[in-house]
Amino acid sequence: EVQRAGCGALQNMAGGSNVCIQAVVDAGALGAALAAMGGHAADAEVQRVGCGTLQNIADSGACNQAVVDTGGAAAVVAAM
């Protein structure tokens, strides 16, 4: 439950401006989302909001490489 809510909050925060997205990334959002997805692989809601977080961060041109570099693509594939 906490992982779902946390990933949902990160997804919402990462849906803002590039400045906001960078702040979320700087705060460790990528690692947190990936850890939640990896630790709760059978929880579809954690996977959904985790993927949404990664998607919102990747939409930022400045941060999309960070998603790839931290294993985000592999996490999305695993969630599917």
Side-chain angles (χ1 to χ4, degrees), residues 2-15 24 49 53 56:
V2 173
Q3 301 296 322
R4 291 179 198 158
C7 282
L10 291 175
Q11 180 182 13
N12 290 340
M13 288 183 275
V24 170
V49 292
T53 300
N56 285 348

Side-chain angles (χ1 to χ4, degrees), residues 14-54:
S17 69
N18 285 347
V19 171
C20 187
I21 294 168
Q22 186 64 58
V24 170
V25 169
D26 291 346
L30 286 170
L34 292 170
M37 292 172 75
H40 300 276
D43 188 325
E45 184 63 11
V46 170
Q47 300 305 308
R48 185 185 73 75
V49 292
C51 284
T53 300
L54 298 176

